[in-house]
C-alpha cells in the first residue's frame, strides 16, 4: 500500500491529571536543581534531573514492570515528554536510551540485557549513544564500513563512528556494523551490537560543534572484542532493526518543540495587542504548530498499536524541523534582539538564547536524517520513486 495516514488517537483517560502532575514536578525540580529552560532536547545534560524523573516513573514508561518499566501507554508517555520539552527541562542524559535504545533492547535484546540494563535506564542512570554515522556514511547508512567479525566466542569490531552524540558520557553505544555481504539491496549483511564504551580498544575523541560545545565525538574501534550475546537481534537483520529505531527517533515532539522557548518569547514580546502583521505571523505559527502536534501524536498512536509508520515519521521530522526554523526567523524579524554568540540557549537574556539557537539551528534538520533523505523516504512511500 502507498500513501500515509495520520489517524487521531483517542487519548487514554487521566492524561489531563498526568499533565498537571508533570507540571508540578517540573516546578519543584526547577527550584531544587536550578535549571534554566531550553526546549531543545539536546541542550542540557543533568544526571540529577534524569534520576529524579526516573524515580517518578517517567522514564521507560511503556516497558513491562519486570524490566523497571511502568506499563503506561505511548500516549501517556507523549504527554510527559511534551511537558518536559515545553518546560525546557534538561532531558538530554536519558533521552536516547529512553526513546530508542531501551525499546530496541526490549524488542531484540537478550533476557539478561533486558533484566540488567532496562531497569538502570528507567532509573535515569544508564545512558546510550547512537552508532550509525561514519566518516563516509551519513545519509547513505547502508554503506557503513565498521566491521564485526566472528571470533571463537564472540565478535571483533573494527572501524570508526562519527558525530556520535554523548559517547563521552554514556555507558553504551548501539552500533550498526557490517557482518556480511551487502547483497543487491545493500541492506543485507548489517547487524547491531551493544558496545560497552569503556571496553579495551574503544577510543572516544571530542568534536566541538559550531556553538563551541562538546556533544559530538569520533569513536574509533580497534580490535574491540565483545561476547557473542552482544549481537542485538538476528545477524544480518540490522537494516530492518535500524529502520524501526529511526521511526522512533523521527516522530516525537522533540522534532517540533526545539525552539518552543523562543516561540513563547515571541508571544510575550508581542504583548496582548500585537500589530497586525505580527499577529498574523503568530497565528500562522500557532496553526502550524497545532497541525504538526496532531500529526506527531498520530504517529505515537500508531507506534502504540505496534505499527511502523516510517513515512509518517519522516513527514513529521521534515515539516517539524522546518517549523522550528521558521519560529526563529519570525522572532528575528519581529523583535529587535541581536543574537549574541557564546551564550547558552537557556541563558537569561533573549539575545543569548537566540544566539545559541541560531548556531544550533542548522543541526536540527540534519540530526536523525537530513530533510532531503526524509523526502526520498516519503517519495518512496507515496510510490513516486
Ligand atoms: C546535532 C547532531 C547530532 C548527531 N548525532 C548523531 C549520533 O548520535 N549518532 C550518529 O550516528 N549520527 C549522528 N549525527 C549524524 C547525522 O545523522 C548525519 O549528519 C546525517 O545523517 C547526515 O549525514 P552526513 O553528515 O554524512 O551528510 P551527507 O550524507 O554527506 O549529506 C550531505 C548533504 O547531501 C545531501 N544528500 C545526501 N544524500 C542525498 C541523496 N541521496 N539525495 C539528496 N540529497 C542527499 C544531504 O541531505 C546533505 O544536505 C548527528 C548529527 C547532528 C547534526
Amino acid at each position: 500500500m502507498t500513501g500515509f495516514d495520520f489517524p487521531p488517537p483517542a487519548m487514554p483517560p487521566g492524561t489531563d491529571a498526568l499533565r498537571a502532575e508533570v507540571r508540578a514536578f517540573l516546578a519543584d525540580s526547577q527550584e531544587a536543581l536550578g535549571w534554566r529552560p531550553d526546549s531543545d532536547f539536546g541542550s542540557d545534560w543533568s544526571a540529577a534531573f534524569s534520576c529524579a524523573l526516573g524515580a517518578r516513573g517517567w522514564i521507560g514508561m511503556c516497558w513491562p514492570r519486570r524490566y523497571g518499566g511502568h506499563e503506561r501507554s505511548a500516549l501517556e508517555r507523549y504527554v510527559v515528554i511534551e511537558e518536559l520539552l515545553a518546560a525546557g527541562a534538561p532531558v538530554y542524559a536519558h533521552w536516547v536510551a529512553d526513546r530508542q535504545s531501551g525499546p530496541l533492547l526490549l524488542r531484540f535484546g537478550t533476557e539478561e540485557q533486558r533484566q540488567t540494563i532496562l531497569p538502570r535506564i528507567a532509573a535515569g542512570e544508564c545512558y546510550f549513544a547512537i552508532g550509525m554515522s561514519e566518516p563516509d556514511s551519513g545519509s547513505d547508512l547502508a554503506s557503513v564500513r565498521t566491521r564485526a567479525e566472528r571470533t571463537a566466542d564472540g565478535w571483533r569490531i573494527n572501524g570508526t563512528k562519527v558525530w556520535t552524540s554523548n559517547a563521552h558520557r554514556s555507558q553504551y553505544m548501539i552500533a550498526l556494523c557490517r557482518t556480511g555481504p551487502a547483497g543487491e539491496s545493500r541492506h543485507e549483511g548489517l547487524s547491531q551490537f551493544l558496545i560497552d564504551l569503556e571496553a579495551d580498544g574503544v577510543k572516544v575523541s571530542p568534536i566541538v560543534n559550531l556553538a563551541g560545545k562538546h556533544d559530538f565525538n569520533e569513536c574509533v574501534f580497534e580490535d574491540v572484542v565483545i561476547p557473542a550475546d552482544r549481537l542485538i537481534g538476528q545477524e544480518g537483520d540490522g537494516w530492518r532493526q535500524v529502520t524501526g529505531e529511526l521511526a522512533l527517533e523521527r516522530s516525537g515532539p522533540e522534532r517540533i518543540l526545539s525552539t518552543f522557548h523562543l516561540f513563547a518569547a515571541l508571544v510575550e514580546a508581542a504583548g496582548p495587542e500585537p500589530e497586525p502583521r505580527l499577529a498574523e505571523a503568530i497565528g500562522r505559527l500557532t496553526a502550524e504548530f497545532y497541525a504538526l502536534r496532531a500529526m506527531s501524536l498520530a504517529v505515537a498512536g500508531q507506534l502504540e498499536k505496534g505499527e511502523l509508520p516510517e513515512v509518517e515519521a519522516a513527514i513529521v521530522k521534515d515539516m517539524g524541523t522546518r517549523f522550528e526554523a521558521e519560529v526563529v526567523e519570525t522572532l528575528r524579524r519581529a523583535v529587535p534582539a541581536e543574537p549574541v554568540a557564546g551564550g547558552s540557549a537557556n541563558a537569561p537574556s533573549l539575545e543569548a538564547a537566540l544566539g545559541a539557537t541560531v548556531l544550533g539551528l542548522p543541526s536540527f534538520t540534519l540530526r536523525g536524517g537530513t530533510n532531503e533523505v526524509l523526502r526520498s523516504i516519503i517519495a518512496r512511500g507515496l510510490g513516486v520513486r
Side-chain angles (χ1 to χ4, degrees):
M1 197 186 87
T2 55
F4 53 81
D5 195 13
F6 290 98
M11 295 304 277
T15 46
D16 287 347
L18 176 61
R19 206 176 274 287
E21 246 181 90
V22 181
R23 286 185 186 177
F25 164 82
L26 286 168
D28 291 347
S29 142
Q30 195 170 7
E31 207 175 301
L33 299 175
W35 48 266
R36 289 218 200 89
D38 178 355
S39 46
D40 178 21
F41 71 90
S43 59
D44 275 347
W45 180 285
S46 165
F49 180 82
S50 293
C51 287
L53 196 68
R56 283 302 297 255
W58 291 333
I59 302 178
M61 278 181 76
C62 311
W63 309 345
R65 283 187 200 284
R66 64 183 182 285
Y67 302 131
H70 303 278
E71 303 186 0
R72 310 286 291 259
S73 79
L75 296 166
E76 288 174 295
R77 176 175 180 271
Y78 193 98
V79 166
V80 172
I81 60 175
E82 185 174 53
E83 286 299 323
L84 297 178
L85 294 170
V91 294
Y92 205 13
H94 65 270
W95 195 258
V96 164
D98 179 46
R99 177 183 68 189
Q100 65 195 84
S101 318
L104 187 84
L105 289 179
L106 186 61
R107 240 177 122 196
F108 301 112
T110 63
E111 187 53 28
E112 202 232 326
Q113 284 158 6
R114 290 191 197 124
Q115 284 185 16
T116 56
I117 297 177
L118 294 182
R120 287 168 56 214
I121 297 178
E125 344 173 303
C126 181
Y127 315 126
F128 271 69
I130 303 169
M132 296 190 196
S133 307
E134 297 188 3
D136 297 313
S137 279
S139 304
D140 185 15
L141 193 57
S143 68
V144 296
R145 288 190 305 200
T146 295
R147 286 203 76 80
E149 289 162 325
R150 272 192 186 279
T151 62
D153 49 7
W155 298 87
R156 179 179 294 112
I157 316 260
N158 278 289
T160 301
K161 294 288 173 185
V162 78
W163 312 127
T164 323
S165 304
N166 304 317
H168 58 304
R169 46 194 175 188
S170 298
Q171 289 94 332
Y172 295 106
M173 171 195 283
I174 292 181
L176 183 69
C177 301
R178 186 144 288 292
T179 47
E184 213 174 297
S185 68
R186 298 168 65 243
H187 297 163
E188 292 164 38
L190 291 168
S191 307
Q192 285 185 299
F193 292 89
L194 177 67
I195 300 181
D196 184 338
L197 286 165
E198 293 283 316
D200 285 346
V202 179
K203 189 169 166 227
V204 177
S205 314
I207 303 176
V208 174
N209 69 18
L210 192 65
K213 278 179 74 188
H214 172 201
D215 286 339
F216 293 136
N217 299 274
E218 178 195 65
C219 300
V220 177
F221 304 109
E222 243 181 63
D223 287 328
V224 177
V225 175
I226 57 170
D229 66 2
R230 293 300 173 97
L231 168 70
I232 301 175
Q234 297 295 317
E235 181 180 347
D237 248 5
W239 185 260
R240 189 177 59 86
Q241 293 175 198
V242 105
T243 316
E245 200 185 325
L246 284 169
L248 297 175
E249 188 177 345
R250 288 175 175 159
S251 58
E254 72 268 36
R255 303 307 180 184
I256 304 169
L257 287 169
S258 306
T259 55
F260 187 75
H261 59 298
L262 293 181
F263 183 53
L266 172 66
V267 174
E268 199 180 307
E273 285 181 31
E275 53 96 8
R277 272 214 317 230
L278 183 54
E280 187 256 314
I282 291 175
R284 188 165 37 75
L285 287 176
T286 307
E288 274 180 54
F289 178 61
Y290 266 78
L292 285 164
R293 179 177 182 268
M295 290 160 69
S296 164
L297 201 54
V299 176
Q302 288 165 308
L303 290 170
E304 168 84 351
K305 285 194 263 168
E307 295 165 15
L308 194 61
E310 196 193 350
V311 174
E312 286 81 354
I315 295 173
V316 169
K317 183 170 182 292
D318 174 45
M319 294 179 68
T321 53
R322 279 187 290 135
F323 166 76
E324 290 175 339
E326 211 184 317
V327 168
V328 178
E329 276 317 301
T330 309
L331 178 73
R332 288 186 70 180
R333 279 197 302 271
V335 179
E338 270 307 304
V340 173
S344 84
N346 59 11
S349 84
L350 179 60
E351 284 79 3
L354 195 54
T357 304
V358 165
L359 289 177
L361 203 55
S363 74
F364 296 175
T365 56
L366 298 175
R367 58 186 182 185
T370 69
N371 286 23
E372 290 76 15
V373 167
L374 296 172
R375 282 174 211 169
S376 73
I377 293 172
I378 297 163
R380 215 176 307 123
L382 293 176
V384 296
R385 181 170 169 259

